[in-house]
Amino acid sequence: MTPEQPSSAISTELLSTDPVDRVIAYHVRTKHHFNRYARSLGYLDWANQPNPFRRFDGTQLVRLPLLKADEEPRSPSYDAIYQPGSVPVQPLTNRTVSRFFELALGLSAWKKAGESEWALRNNPSSGNLHPTEGYVLLPSAEGLDLKPGLYHYAPREHGVELRADCSPAAISRLLAPFPSGAFLFGLTSVHWREAWKYGERAFRYCNHDVGHAIGSARIAAATLGWKMALLDGADQNQTARVLGTHRVDDFSGVEPEHPDCLAVIWPVEAEARASSSSRENQNLPLFLEEAAVTGVAVGPWHGKANELSREHGVHWDVIDQVAEASWKTSLEHPIVSLAGTPIVPPETLHASRTTDDAAAIIRQRRSAVSFDGRTSISAATFFHILQRVMPRVERPQLQRPMPWDVLPWDPAIHLMLFVHRVEGLEAGLYMLARDPNKLPFLQQSMNPELEWTPAPGCPNDLPLFWLLQGDAQRLAAQVSCQQGIAGDSAFSLGMLAEFEGRLRQGGAWWYPRLFWEAGVVGQVLYLEAEAAGVRGTGIGCFFDDPVHEVVGIKDLSIQSLYHFTVGGPVDDQRLMTLPPYHHLQHE
């Protein structure tokens, strides 16, 4: 099979006046099939491989302190970040900003083969291409030497670049509705970085990576005793103005950035103070006031984005079209309560499985490239991993567990699991309903002859069901683009999204959010695999409709968005591993 060559004609099916029809047309167009893949260049143009590091020329770079593992702020244990109230709350300082960015978007290692070196990061990326850029809007704070303004994170230098000066008063007005000590965190995507390799399907992968970055940032915040929530009521024009992606001259002649999302981050102790003071302060707005956005966007602005590739070869118009169709123009005013009692993890999640701290787990995360086909995990470990991906929405009066408190919507992603080597559990096909209320919908959308038997030995609060019994290794690999990693693992899975109904009801801008949720699921699975002594890897290449046929999905009510696999890794001994910031010592 060879990928189709790009067409110069504009995709007519994406020219509908209905944005939902356009994003659905894009999704259908970019499916992989047994007899053909989604359109791409068909080869890798190595001479124009994108620079994985964006910089802004003509602005100030402030190096963040490179902190050792035993320096303050020290990381809590991995299990502690999931226990409400267990992590000491850190103030906003240069050191905590450094630790946050390192664990959220920083480098984890360099790999070397011969004369080639490439960096790995703590946030995963499709093909290690890293289309995601991170920003913070910081207020003035005691102990924070950075002046108020918008900063872009430069991971290679582990520093921040000043993009815009903002008056303390303007930032204070913008942040006034949020708990004391809050600041904003934003993400953008350079679509070209993924399109260079993956062609038209790249918009999917960019949004997977946004989801991974949301998850990695939320978990990094948890290590500092901070909370985080997406400002999902803001529209993308506001997001663009806050992050500066609307500034055409700053990106003239180079690859633009697509504004994805904004989030607010705040210390938990500030939330506790607000909750105890007055009823009005118990609510967290998930939107920004338009006048306040205008106040911070006036600048002055600094810097011009660097060029990532000399030539692009082909421009994928369909990516621009789906980005436009899914652009969020609506302003909502959602509010979440800070008064709810945090959910205490189930008893089965209390026992620690690792003596490592959270930062060690985050830094050691890797994407496995091969599995040994032998390693198994216990049923208890398997159930533990699945409990971590449960948002616990069945108890709305309680706060969701970390990291699911970052997403303000009801879960739309459910897991179809290929169980291969789980001790005490029969091999076969299983389904995890991440929202138990959606179980009837899932059952009605699939083959009525499936069993739907509760998995034996499964905790009562885990809606895991056995569908089909038998060896599914060959099937798992086949539908995952014939990749052996899907069958040689302990288990693999497909993330099934509530699709057309969610888009028709909520709007076309829900399309990226479905991938974001899948990315957060993937980030939790990555870290849980490391904590369990095994390894995971995301799989973006799968044959879409053959996956659906496995469980009898015949329409667009449910669609597979992302695959994942967990097992015993086989390391490539030809590669040398170097420390993440060894290059800075030489510089």
Side-chain angles (χ1 to χ4, degrees):
M1 293 178 289
T2 57
E4 292 190 4
Q5 295 302 304
S7 170
S8 59
I10 294 179
S11 172
T12 57
E13 65 264 35
L14 265 69
L15 298 181
S16 166
T17 57
D18 184 348
V20 173
D21 287 341
R22 292 164 67 190
V23 298
I24 289 177
Y26 167 82
H27 187 76
V28 172
R29 174 190 174 115
T30 56
K31 288 182 175 183
H32 288 325
H33 302 273
F34 280 139
N35 63 333
R36 65 176 175 85
Y37 287 100
R39 293 180 178 93
S40 69
L41 194 59
Y43 62 91
L44 294 180
D45 179 13
W46 290 112
N48 292 297
Q49 182 180 9
N51 183 343
F53 299 112
R54 166 132 280 172
R55 289 295 308 276
F56 285 88
D57 300 326
T59 189
Q60 177 187 11
L61 172 72
V62 180
R63 300 269 188 173
L64 296 172
L66 281 173
L67 303 173
K68 297 179 181 179
D70 59 354
E71 289 187 272
E72 296 292 339
R74 299 185 64 176
S75 174
S77 72
Y78 178 68
D79 289 318
I81 64 174
Y82 288 98
Q83 303 292 330
S86 297
V87 179
V89 180
Q90 302 290 337
L92 185 62
T93 67
N94 285 46
R95 296 177 73 87
T96 55
V97 169
S98 173
R99 192 69 90 190
F100 168 74
F101 267 127
E102 181 217 340
L103 297 182
L105 303 176
L107 305 188
S108 59
W110 287 81
K111 292 291 185 179
K112 183 173 183 178
E115 298 300 316
S116 298
E117 282 189 25
W118 60 95
L120 306 181
R121 303 194 199 181
N122 289 321
N123 58 310
S125 170
S126 305
N128 199 37
L129 295 170
H130 291 284
T132 314
E133 298 293 329
Y135 294 81
V136 283
L137 182 69
L138 295 175
S140 58
E142 185 178 353
L144 183 65
D145 295 337
L146 297 167
K147 62 181 179 180
L150 176 74
Y151 293 85
H152 167 255
Y153 178 58
R156 186 184 182 279
E157 291 77 14
H158 189 55
V160 289
E161 298 175 299
L162 180 64
R163 281 286 287 131
D165 286 302
C166 303
S167 74
I171 296 180
S172 294
R173 283 194 297 271
L174 186 69
L175 298 178
F178 305 113
S180 175
F183 64 94
L184 297 190
F185 173 71
L187 295 171
T188 68
S189 293
V190 181
H191 293 152
W192 164 246
R193 281 204 183 113
E194 293 289 334
W196 168 79
K197 180 176 182 180
Y198 297 114
E200 292 187 346
R201 200 170 164 102
F203 187 74
R204 298 186 181 205
Y205 298 155
C206 286
N207 283 291
H208 282 158
D209 286 359
V210 171
H212 279 297
I214 291 171
S216 65
R218 176 63 189 99
I219 292 167
T223 68
L224 297 163
W226 298 346
K227 295 192 72 173
M228 173 176 164
L230 279 186
L231 298 177
D232 216 36
D235 72 2
Q236 272 178 284
N237 293 314
Q238 288 183 330
T239 303
R241 286 157 58 205
V242 170
L243 300 180
T245 60
H246 69 303
R247 296 180 55 78
V248 176
D249 289 347
D250 293 356
F251 297 90
S252 175
V254 303
E255 297 80 0
E257 293 181 25
H258 179 79
D260 293 307
C261 61
L262 289 170
V264 59
I265 299 176
W266 71 97
V268 177
E269 64 179 11
E271 172 187 316
R273 287 197 301 269
S275 297
S276 62
S277 59
S278 68
R279 194 160 197 74
E280 291 77 14
N281 288 334
Q282 293 182 11
N283 293 326
L284 180 76
L286 300 182
F287 58 91
L288 297 173
E289 296 293 345
E290 178 63 20
V293 170
T294 300
V296 299
V298 295
W301 290 82
H302 309 282
K304 185 181 186 304
N306 64 333
E307 182 181 67
L308 304 179
S309 294
R310 289 176 300 172
E311 297 179 6
H312 286 197
V314 64
H315 182 78
W316 302 99
D317 294 322
V318 72
I319 294 177
D320 296 337
Q321 294 169 26
V322 70
E324 178 185 2
S326 60
W327 187 274
K328 185 176 186 292
T329 58
S330 60
L331 284 167
E332 293 87 29
H333 294 81
I335 293 174
V336 294
S337 175
L338 298 177
T341 303
I343 291 179
V344 177
E347 196 66 33
T348 52
L349 286 177
H350 286 182
S352 174
R353 298 165 300 148
T354 175
T355 58
D356 288 330
D357 60 44
I361 295 293
I362 292 168
R363 294 186 187 106
Q364 76 182 46
R365 184 216 62 80
R366 302 285 186 273
S367 294
V369 296
S370 180
F371 291 116
D372 59 19
R374 299 187 306 273
T375 299
S376 63
I377 61 174
S378 68
T381 296
F382 179 65
F383 296 145
H384 187 115
I385 291 172
L386 296 186
Q387 284 183 311
R388 284 283 191 236
V389 304
M390 292 297 294
R392 307 290 169 186
V393 293
E394 64 271 23
R395 302 174 70 182
Q397 73 279 11
L398 302 180
Q399 292 183 21
R400 295 180 186 178
M402 196 286 301
W404 305 111
D405 53 356
V406 75
L407 301 180
W409 58 78
D410 288 338
I413 300 294
H414 309 278
L415 307 187
M416 179 178 70
L417 296 129
F418 300 89
V419 172
H420 309 313
R421 298 171 184 85
V422 176
E423 299 165 5
L425 207 60
E426 291 289 338
L429 190 67
Y430 293 74
M431 181 67 64
L432 179 70
R434 294 182 59 250
D435 182 350
N437 298 320
K438 301 296 177 58
L439 184 58
F441 167 76
L442 293 173
Q443 292 173 323
Q444 294 164 11
S445 301
M446 299 180 187
N447 186 338
E449 297 182 4
L450 296 173
E451 293 288 341
W452 294 96
T453 303
C458 182
N460 293 331
D461 63 345
L462 191 63
L464 178 67
F465 299 90
W466 169 69
L467 303 183
L468 294 169
Q469 184 176 344
D471 187 340
Q473 295 179 72
R474 182 176 178 182
L475 175 62
Q478 184 182 39
V479 297
S480 292
C481 292
Q482 311 288 355
Q483 296 180 81
I485 53 174
D488 294 336
S489 56
F491 70 93
S492 62
L493 58 91
M495 301 184 196
L496 303 183
E498 302 166 22
F499 193 72
E500 185 170 19
R502 188 69 69 113
L503 295 177
R504 298 288 182 197
Q505 182 177 1
W509 53 271
W510 265 97
Y511 185 63
R513 282 156 179 77
L514 296 176
F515 289 98
W516 298 355
E517 184 180 335
V520 179
V521 172
Q523 186 66 12
V524 172
L525 291 174
Y526 264 121
L527 298 185
E528 283 296 300
E530 295 293 336
V534 286
R535 182 144 289 171
T537 191
I539 302 176
C541 185
F542 51 85
F543 298 120
D544 299 62
D545 289 336
V547 173
H548 306 144
E549 292 168 6
V550 171
V551 288
I553 297 170
K554 299 185 181 300
D555 56 25
L556 293 169
S557 60
I558 295 176
Q559 293 287 281
S560 183
L561 299 189
Y562 191 19
H563 284 205
F564 204 90
T565 184
V566 174
V570 177
D571 294 327
D572 190 339
Q573 300 301 322
R574 298 170 298 176
L575 302 182
M576 179 186 301
T577 301
L578 302 172
Y581 297 104
H582 76 99
H583 58 288
L584 297 184
Q585 298 172 0
H586 298 304
E587 292 175 3

